[in-house]
Amino acid sequence: MPTVLLVEDDSMIRTALVKALANAGHVVTAVGTAMDALREVAVRPPDVVVLDLGLPDVDGASALRMMRGDSDVPVIVATARTGENNIIRLLNAGADDYLTKPFSGEHLLARISAVLRRRGGVADAPAAIEVGPLRVDLGRRSATLHGRALDLTRKEFDLLAYLAARRDHLVTRQELIEEVWRQPYRGSEQTVDVHISWLRRKLGETAAKPRFLRVLRGVGIMLVDPR
């Protein structure tokens, strides 16, 4: 399943693109500054970066050059700067492709697929994750357990899909609040705990007898194969 780092400082555009990418089955991390983007690429390299040029801290073209200093991750530049010279300069600086604003989510998805195909990436990977008897279909936004459909709310599915994409890896509550709920973390762990409780019930387990969801108190949550 392709992972996308979206670098966009406009919150409305960021929210719309995150929704389009997530609905298409991508795991998305969204940041609003160049420095946050460089940190993400260094710590958790994505399959592709979508990089806005008009960032508040460092110009996107400079961020691209800095990124290319230690990473060959595919980069699609999103720019309002038209003109052949600008585009040539960006491509020479290391961009793999570009989009001229405004653009649709469908256009972006097509460019991401094309870039990943050219780079031998994971664009054609199945949009479903299987963890033992649990199957999470990212494209259809549905999940089944032992072949039976789970009745999940939108946020329950988002939470399950995020954990399934990181199976066997501990995910902190702060990360879930910021990445699944798209909210700043202010110690509001109760929201996560309530949704985990609801998800447990639908997965046929309890906190006392966990199967899929393992909680390390004070640290985070992990989704595992119960077999």
Side-chain angles (χ1 to χ4, degrees):
M1 177 176 48
T3 57
V4 180
L5 173 60
L6 175 64
V7 191
E8 169 61 63
D9 69 317
D10 186 307
S11 60
M12 293 183 65
I13 295 175
R14 188 168 62 239
T15 298
L17 292 179
V18 166
K19 181 179 180 181
L21 291 167
N23 285 345
H26 295 289
V27 175
V28 188
T29 298
V31 298
T33 68
M35 297 311 297
D36 283 341
L38 292 168
R39 190 177 303 112
E40 284 290 333
V41 169
V43 175
R44 293 185 296 183
D47 293 313
V48 63
V49 176
V50 179
L51 177 65
D52 177 37
L53 293 188
L55 298 173
D57 55 343
V58 178
D59 179 75
S62 298
L64 173 61
R65 288 191 291 272
M66 295 166 68
M67 203 173 289
R68 279 289 170 258
D70 57 10
S71 174
D72 63 351
V73 60
V75 177
I76 300 173
V77 170
T79 177
R81 306 170 191 175
T82 58
E84 184 176 333
N85 289 339
N86 282 325
I87 299 304
I88 291 173
R89 181 171 58 87
L90 292 167
L91 293 173
N92 286 337
D96 293 84
D97 203 348
Y98 70 93
L99 281 167
T100 302
K101 291 184 174 183
F103 55 85
S104 66
E106 291 77 9
H107 192 176
L108 175 58
L109 287 166
R111 292 298 183 98
I112 288 174
S113 294
V115 164
L116 290 176
R117 281 197 301 271
R118 291 198 299 269
R119 295 288 291 259
V122 291
D124 297 322
I129 306 170
E130 294 188 3
V131 184
L134 174 66
R135 177 181 172 85
V136 182
D137 190 319
L138 302 168
R140 297 181 179 179
R141 290 187 60 82
S142 62
T144 58
L145 181 60
H146 296 293
R148 300 184 64 178
L150 296 175
D151 183 17
L152 302 177
T153 66
R154 182 178 183 85
K155 194 55 67 178
E156 287 168 354
F157 178 84
D158 291 343
L159 175 59
L160 179 62
Y162 193 88
L163 292 171
R166 294 155 179 80
R167 58 177 293 180
D168 300 324
H169 290 277
L170 203 62
V171 180
T172 67
R173 288 175 173 81
Q174 177 175 348
E175 181 177 344
L176 291 173
I177 288 290
E178 293 176 347
E179 299 297 334
V180 176
W181 273 265
R182 298 291 168 186
Q183 296 176 3
Y185 181 72
R186 299 189 179 93
S188 54
E189 298 183 351
Q190 186 177 1
T191 297
V192 174
D193 291 340
V194 168
H195 280 78
I196 288 291
S197 176
W198 292 341
L199 202 51
R200 278 195 192 282
R201 191 179 311 143
K202 294 180 180 182
L203 291 172
E205 64 177 58
T206 65
K209 294 183 177 180
R211 296 182 63 228
F212 292 96
L213 299 172
R214 305 293 173 87
V215 175
L216 186 58
R217 189 172 299 278
V219 181
I221 302 147
M222 180 190 305
L223 188 140
V224 301
D225 187 335
R227 295 176 298 185

